[in-house]
Structures are given as C-alpha cells and as structure tokens.
C-alpha cells in the first residue's frame, strides 16, 4: 500500500468524529493550493475537486476562476520546467517558500492547462497527476462550491480585487495583510502570525484560526 494511502486511512477515524454535526458533506472546493485537500481530510470526505495536492501561481489561478468551465474542458499538457515563466521566481524566492515546497522543482510534475500552469506538488508521476485530475474534476459540484484564495505565489492587491469581483457565492481569502477588505461577499481571514513574513505561509492550521470551517460549510445549504 502506498504511503499516501496509509496516511489518509489513518486520518479516517478522527475524521468521523470531526464531521459530527456537519450537514453539508457533498461540497466542492476550488483552491490555489492544498487547502481543499486539508478540509476534506479533516472530515474524512471524498475529494470532490481536481485541485488536490497542487498549487497555481496567483495570476494563473485568478484566470482559471474567471473562466473555469472553459479551462476544465481542456486537456492537461506535459511541459518542462525550462519553459515555465515563473521558474526563477521559485528558485530565488524566500527561504520559507522553498521549505514549504518540500522538494526540488525537478521532482515536481508541472503541466499546462491552456495558457496557465499547474504544479502537481504531491504527485509522483505525470500519469498519476493526469489520472487523478480527470477523475476528480468529474465530481465537481458548481452548485455547492467554495472558492478559496490566499496571498501566496506572486499575489498582488489587484488580484484580490479580481477575486472579490468573481460571481461565486462562497469565497474565502487568507491574508497576512490586515488592511485588505472585501467590497463584495468574500470572507477575509487575517492570519496575524504571518504579518512579518508579508504573506501567509500556511493556511491549513485550522485549529489556530478564528474561523469555523464546519459552521461555514453548514451555512452553504440554507
């Protein structure tokens, strides 16, 4: 049995208890990083999204959200890191970012989806990435959807404004900047522990956040 499968099975038992009181169990999440997978693992639920174990650069992610139906119709194309425009920014990036990646670029699967790039961080091969992406995108429920973003990977203020203007009903944004405010329906979650870093290093420590994900999920089915 693969290590990833063993770890996920170990999480199933506590997940059963954590989802007591969770009424909305068939939700989908589009996320710019591994946050969605962390939510599903918290409650030991099936992944109902292709955005699991991967990340997108901020601008690519917003482009994806601005036209998800068109991007999801496209096939992933394998590409080399030599042709990726943001490669050097990752190589030269903050040490905290490098540590969060946990592996070298050469060990990560990179794909093109139209004019955007997807880094399949937690995949061992191209075939695995394509297979799981295609299988999971069929489960996506656009009528019971959370769209989540944060201030990592080339984020700029104008990208938040574009995110805030998107027509999705349930939008969540994590930031280390306490001056960011929504002019729409976005739930902005400020993580003060990252203020000195200038951006959120990880948004997956749910127990340390002033945000109740179970309550939020339940409000989606009113």
């Amino acid at each position: 049995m693969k290590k990833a499968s063993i770890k996920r099975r170990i999480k199933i038992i506590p997940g059963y208890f954590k989802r007591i009181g969770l009424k909305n169990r068939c939700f989908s999440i589009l996320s710019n990083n591994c946050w969605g997978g962390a939510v599903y693992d918290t409650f030991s639920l099936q992944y109902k999204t292709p955005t699991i174990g991967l990340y997108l650069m901020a601008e690519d992610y917003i482009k994806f959200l601005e036209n998800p139906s068109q991007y999801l119709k496209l096939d992933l194309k394998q590409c080399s890191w030599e042709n990726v425009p943001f490669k050097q920014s990752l190589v030269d990036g903050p040490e905290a970012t490098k540590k969060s990646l946990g592996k070298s670029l050469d060990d990560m699967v990179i794909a093109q989806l139209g004019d955007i790039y997807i880094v399949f961080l937690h995949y061992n091969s191209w075939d695995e990435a394509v297979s799981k992406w295609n299988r999971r995108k069929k489960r996506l429920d656009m009528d019971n959807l959370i769209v989540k973003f944060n201030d990592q990977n080339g984020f700029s203020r104008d990208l938040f404004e574009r995110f805030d203007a998107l027509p999705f009903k349930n939008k969540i944004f994590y930031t280390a900047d306490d001056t960011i405010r929504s002019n729409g329906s976005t739930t902005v979650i400020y993580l003060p522990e990252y203020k000195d870093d200038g951006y959120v290093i990880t948004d997956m420590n749910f127990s340390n956040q002033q945000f109740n994900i179970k309550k939020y999920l339940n409000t989606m089915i009113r």
Side-chain angles (χ1 to χ4, degrees), residues 123-185:
Y123 293 79
N124 296 314
S125 69
W126 168 254
D127 289 342
E128 180 189 17
V130 172
S131 174
K132 291 186 176 180
W133 172 272
N134 289 335
R135 183 169 73 245
R136 291 167 179 165
K137 76 177 182 179
K138 294 177 182 177
R139 302 174 188 158
L140 193 63
D141 184 353
M142 298 296 285
D143 295 321
N144 189 11
L145 179 71
I146 293 174
V147 177
K148 175 264 168 191
F149 187 33
N150 70 11
D151 57 6
Q152 296 176 342
N153 298 321
F155 171 80
S156 61
R157 196 67 171 254
D158 69 296
L159 292 176
F160 170 75
E161 292 172 0
R162 286 166 63 183
F163 179 77
D164 198 33
L166 291 169
F168 299 102
K169 183 179 179 181
N170 305 296
K171 292 178 291 185
I172 295 173
F173 178 73
Y174 284 86
T175 183
D177 184 350
D178 62 358
T179 68
I180 291 182
R181 300 286 186 275
S182 171
N183 290 318
S185 60

Side-chain angles (χ1 to χ4, degrees), residues 10-58:
I10 291 172
K11 295 176 182 178
I12 287 177
I13 294 177
Y16 278 128
F17 292 98
K18 289 180 181 179
R19 71 186 186 210
I20 292 174
L22 179 64
K23 300 175 182 178
N24 182 10
R25 299 185 180 185
C26 295
F27 56 90
S28 287
I29 296 172
L30 291 177
S31 177
N32 63 307
N33 64 1
C34 299
W35 185 87
V39 174
Y40 290 113
D41 286 345
T42 295
F43 301 112
S44 298
L45 296 172
Q46 183 185 51
Y47 299 144
K48 294 186 179 295
T49 175
T51 58
I52 296 292
L54 53 79
Y55 72 90
L56 293 87
M57 299 300 285

Side-chain angles (χ1 to χ4, degrees), residues 35 46 63 66-69 73 80 85 87 106 123 125 133-134 136 141-142 147 165 167 188 206 211 217-218 220 222:
W35 185 87
Q46 183 185 51
K63 288 169 69 175
E66 288 173 338
N67 203 347
S69 60
K73 290 177 184 176
S80 166
K87 175 187 175 182
D106 291 337
Y123 293 79
S125 69
W133 172 272
N134 289 335
R136 291 167 179 165
D141 184 353
M142 298 296 285
V147 177
V188 177
F206 301 122
F211 175 66
L217 288 164
N218 284 340
M220 290 169 58
R222 289 179 179 174

